[in-house]
Amino acid sequence: MDDAYSREIDYLRISITDRCNLRCLYCMPEEGVSRMGHSDILRYEEIVEIVEAGVASGIRKIRITGGEPLVRPGVVQFVGMLKNIRGVEELSITTNAVMLPELAGPLADAGLDRVNVSLDTLDPVNFSRITRVGRIEKVFEGINAAVVNGLGPVKINSVVIRGFNDHEVSNLSEWALSNEYNLRFIEYMPISNGFFSFAENYISSDEIKEIVLDRFPELKECSRAGNGPARYLCRADQKGSIGFIEAVSHAFCSNCNRLRLTADGKLKPCLFSNDETDLVPVLRNRDGDVRGGLIRLFRNTVLMKPESHEDFQRVNADSRCMNEIGG
Ligand code: SAM
Ligand code: SF4
């Protein structure tokens, strides 16, 4: 399915809940109250109908996200439901890993291909500060459980915030390379009116890359197949890598291949825009042609994709927080 700028859109990120067991400073407000009522949240069967229409429109890769997707009851069965849809070629989850120690095995058995784990620090004290409530030991256990259960190669996502964890860039890189993980540093994005000031706390991927190369001058630019819009550095043996997701400093919109579905049934053409298509009226109108209607809405939303998000100041007080969009 091509958009108006000839980009092929084959990737759907599905947020299945806006709730979370952590409260990361850059993502959610401290009180973390869910803005979505129970009846607003799509049932798993409804998401499956949407995915089927998406696959009929060209979607091939699915990522389940949140909030924290593993806190929603039934997520293992949901993975099995998605895995059974013909045409879904890749199924992954982005998680904070806190519940992976118990769920990695069942998720792998249900057909999950891979996990991405978000971890911004190796320091237990800094972890509790950034997440407000979390204990880091569970995350390390969760990563191990993912590896043991074949959910690799594990990708680790670290948002870098000046003054909070930029001093850990070097240690995080060392840890990732020695464990052969693919670590991606993510630029802090001004998505919501959050805790941080963009002017003071944003740090560009160029600056982060300099810190990494200072410590590991032997790293060379490399590619990582199927890894979307990140630039990568690897060692000669290609084991482990350090990537940079530079959504702010280097708009990678020309390679954008994705749509996002929120837990309350809105299809978003662009992370940095407040535009969205409400799928619910068509989905819940059982007298109509639900599948045909959803396919039309997929096509319309793809055509709404902007050429670039350079205009991201449109993300404002009315915008959803990241836990409502899924990253
Ligand atoms: N709870 C899961 C997790 O943390 O992996 C999935 C949802 S979370 C919203 C998805 C990703 O968005 C995480 O990697 C998180 O670090 C990232 N994220 C959240 N807020 C962000 C922000 N303001 N800027 C950049 N990345 C952000
Ligand atoms: Fe929760 Fe993920 Fe947001 Fe952290 S980044 S608060 S783990 S949804």
Side-chain angles (χ1 to χ4, degrees):
M1 178 170 43
D2 281 2
D3 73 0
Y5 305 96
S6 304
R7 295 172 296 201
E8 190 186 350
I9 310 304
D10 62 359
Y11 177 29
L12 179 65
R13 296 177 66 97
I14 304 173
S15 171
I16 59 171
T17 179
D18 62 337
R19 292 165 196 254
C20 187
N21 46 1
L22 302 182
R23 293 282 180 279
C24 300
L25 293 167
Y26 50 73
C27 176
M28 271 181 100
E30 182 163 22
E31 63 279 15
V33 173
S34 171
R35 285 206 278 191
M36 296 179 194
H38 191 68
S39 60
D40 299 330
I41 302 287
L42 297 178
R43 289 182 291 109
Y44 286 137
E45 292 76 13
E46 292 178 318
I47 303 177
V48 166
E49 277 194 273
I50 292 171
V51 171
E52 283 170 348
V55 167
S57 313
I59 296 295
R60 299 282 169 263
K61 287 188 278 184
I62 305 281
R63 173 171 299 280
I64 303 169
T65 172
E68 173 47 43
L70 302 189
V71 302
R72 179 159 171 186
V75 62
V76 171
Q77 290 74 11
F78 177 56
V79 163
M81 289 159 81
L82 292 182
K83 194 66 184 181
N84 280 336
I85 299 176
R86 268 184 69 181
V88 172
E89 292 169 8
E90 199 183 303
L91 183 57
S92 55
I93 281 188
T94 293
T95 171
N96 60 32
V98 169
M99 294 177 69
L100 269 184
E102 304 86 58
L103 291 181
L107 286 167
D109 292 345
L112 190 71
D113 295 315
R114 279 189 306 102
V115 293
N116 283 10
V117 171
S118 304
L119 177 64
D120 309 321
T121 172
L122 300 176
D123 170 4
V125 175
N126 216 14
F127 185 80
S128 302
R129 192 156 68 126
I130 293 173
T131 64
R132 292 188 177 108
V133 291
R135 283 183 45 244
I136 202 167
E137 295 77 14
K138 278 280 172 199
V139 180
F140 292 132
E141 266 179 55
I143 294 171
N144 286 338
V147 173
V148 167
N149 285 284
L151 294 175
V154 174
K155 282 197 231 163
I156 310 286
N157 292 335
S158 299
V159 179
V160 186
I161 310 274
R162 192 185 298 285
F164 265 73
N165 65 344
D166 52 330
H167 62 288
E168 293 199 58
V169 164
S170 184
N171 286 353
L172 278 161
S173 304
E174 159 102 67
W175 169 76
L177 290 170
S178 59
N179 286 291
E180 301 179 9
Y181 300 143
N182 297 320
L183 167 68
R184 288 112 50 91
F185 289 115
I186 302 179
E187 286 181 334
Y188 167 58
M189 299 175 218
I191 286 293
S192 56
N193 290 344
F195 183 87
F196 292 110
S197 134
F198 186 65
E200 285 170 25
N201 300 110
Y202 166 79
I203 169 166
S204 76
S205 68
D206 285 347
E207 208 177 315
I208 303 167
K209 191 173 174 188
E210 232 172 77
I211 302 171
V212 174
L213 283 173
D214 212 40
R215 171 83 174 264
F216 299 102
E218 72 277 20
L219 296 180
K220 296 272 179 292
E221 297 259 348
C222 60
S223 64
R224 282 277 182 257
N227 273 276
R231 288 190 297 158
Y232 285 89
L233 294 173
C234 300
R235 282 189 163 135
D237 62 10
Q238 300 276 320
K239 289 185 178 160
S241 62
I242 311 293
F244 304 88
I245 301 190
E246 34 204 10
V248 178
S249 65
H250 298 68
F252 41 63
C253 305
S254 60
N255 296 323
C256 186
N257 63 347
R258 63 199 59 193
L259 294 173
R260 293 175 167 82
L261 177 66
T262 64
D264 57 351
K266 313 290 188 289
L267 201 56
K268 288 184 73 68
C270 174
L271 176 62
F272 290 95
S273 157
N274 290 346
D275 290 348
E276 46 192 37
T277 303
D278 191 356
L279 304 185
V280 172
V282 165
L283 185 67
R284 294 192 176 157
N285 174 14
R286 303 318 297 186
D287 297 331
D289 170 14
V290 174
R291 188 181 165 84
L294 290 174
I295 290 174
R296 262 194 306 283
L297 293 179
F298 262 96
R299 177 141 305 280
N300 292 349
T301 311
V302 161
L303 292 175
M304 281 158 61
K305 280 180 74 64
E307 184 169 17
S308 128
H309 70 230
E310 268 156 27
D311 190 16
F312 68 69
Q313 294 313 332
R314 276 180 304 165
V315 173
N316 53 33
D318 296 331
S319 308
R320 291 168 181 267
C321 293
M322 200 67 118
N323 68 301
E324 297 172 283
I325 308 174

